[in-house]
């Protein structure tokens, strides 16, 4: 059992979880996060309610040029074969510099499910949403401006098979550590009890 799992199952505070994760290399963090079960991710999401609120700058750090993607490597808790639980959420600031981020999902399923485009925005001002996380990844919206070169074509989430996965969905995000966040999926206003971890990839 990894130390992260032990800490989670001991109900360690989020500050202790962050200290542990921040002390690892990027590859070590990914390995530690890859061992989490849905119950572990549920515990991590609950613990992260006591972390400092997450911000858009967490996903795309200050100084990153507009329309330059930042990759966050993820693992979800869906009942899928292990390779299909790994994915990336890719974020970028829009050309107009507005208080939102454009993004999509990259992984083994993109070629047949679709890219799952989204817009990430702060939840400030919506009390119910704020309790779930300070940033929401909103699949009700898709980018309404230019996206980074090399990204797939923007399509609505109501189109194709991705309608069964992304359409009508929102992911509420909480900070865990310097590079790690945790999300909880909602269909409309209904919690799905599915979670995923994200780990920001090093700059290249």
């Amino acid at each position: 059992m990894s130390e992260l799992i032990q800490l989670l199952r001991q109900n360690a505070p989020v500050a202790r979880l962050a200290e542990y994760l921040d002390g690892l290399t990027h590859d070590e963090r990914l390995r530690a996060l890859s061992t989490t079960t849905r119950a572990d991710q549920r515990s991590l999401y609950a613990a992260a309610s006591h972390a400092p609120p997450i911000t858009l700058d967490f996903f795309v750090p200050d100084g990153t040029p507009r329309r330059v993607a930042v990759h966050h490597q993820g693992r979800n808790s869906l009942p899928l074969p292990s390779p299909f639980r790994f994915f990336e959420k890719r974020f970028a600031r829009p050309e107009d510099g507005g208080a939102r981020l454009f993004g999509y999902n990259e992984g083994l399923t993109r070629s047949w499910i679709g890219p799952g485009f989204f817009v990430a925005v702060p939840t400030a001002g919506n009390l119910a949403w704020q309790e779930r996380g300070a940033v929401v990844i909103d699949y009700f919206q898709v980018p309404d401006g230019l996206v980074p070169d090399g990204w797939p074509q923007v399509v609505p989430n109501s189109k194709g098979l991705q309608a069964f996965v992304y359409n009508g969905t929102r992911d509420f995000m909480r900070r865990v550590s310097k590079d790690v966040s945790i999300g909880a999926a909602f269909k409309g206003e209904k919690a799905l009890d599915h979670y995923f971890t994200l780990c920001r990839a090093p700059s290249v």
Side-chain angles (χ1 to χ4, degrees):
M1 184 185 300
S2 72
E3 185 171 347
L4 175 62
I5 301 304
Q6 293 181 50
L7 289 169
L8 286 168
R9 296 181 184 178
Q10 293 165 2
N11 295 315
V14 69
R16 177 68 187 95
L17 298 170
E19 178 185 39
Y20 170 71
L21 289 166
D22 287 343
L24 303 178
T25 66
H26 176 71
D27 287 343
E28 289 170 342
R29 272 191 290 276
L30 291 179
R31 283 195 293 273
L33 294 167
S34 74
T35 65
T36 53
T37 64
R38 179 165 67 166
D40 296 325
Q41 291 189 359
R42 185 188 300 120
S43 297
L44 184 57
Y45 179 72
S49 66
H50 301 288
I54 202 164
T55 63
L56 295 180
D57 290 343
F58 178 92
F59 297 102
V60 179
D62 279 341
T64 305
R66 296 173 187 179
R67 293 182 57 219
V68 169
V70 177
H71 298 185
H72 290 247
Q73 293 165 276
R75 181 177 179 276
N76 64 46
S77 62
L78 295 171
L80 298 170
S82 183
F84 293 96
R85 293 187 181 188
F86 294 92
F87 63 97
E88 289 185 359
K89 287 190 187 296
R90 297 180 175 178
F91 298 84
R93 284 196 180 88
E95 193 69 52
D96 64 15
R100 68 202 194 286
L101 301 174
F102 293 163
Y104 82 99
N105 291 268
E106 182 61 70
L108 292 176
T109 62
R110 179 168 75 82
S111 62
W112 50 284
I113 288 180
F117 274 97
F118 57 81
V119 177
V121 294
T123 59
N126 185 321
L127 295 180
W129 287 12
Q130 286 176 220
E131 292 181 358
R132 301 172 191 168
V135 167
V136 59
I137 291 173
D138 191 349
Y139 294 98
F140 283 76
Q141 305 181 59
V142 297
D144 57 357
L146 294 174
V147 298
D149 295 340
W151 278 20
Q153 180 182 358
V154 177
V155 293
N157 291 313
S158 57
K159 182 178 180 179
L161 290 177
Q162 66 182 355
F164 298 100
V165 179
Y166 301 115
N167 198 39
T169 301
R170 295 183 179 98
D171 298 328
F172 291 89
M173 304 304 301
R174 292 174 175 173
R175 182 193 306 267
V176 176
S177 68
K178 181 171 66 70
D179 297 303
V180 176
S181 59
I182 178 82
F186 282 67
K187 197 76 168 179
E189 293 299 307
K190 180 182 178 182
L192 296 179
D193 195 32
H194 286 302
Y195 308 87
F196 58 89
T197 56
L198 293 179
C199 184
R200 186 173 54 235
S203 299
V204 293

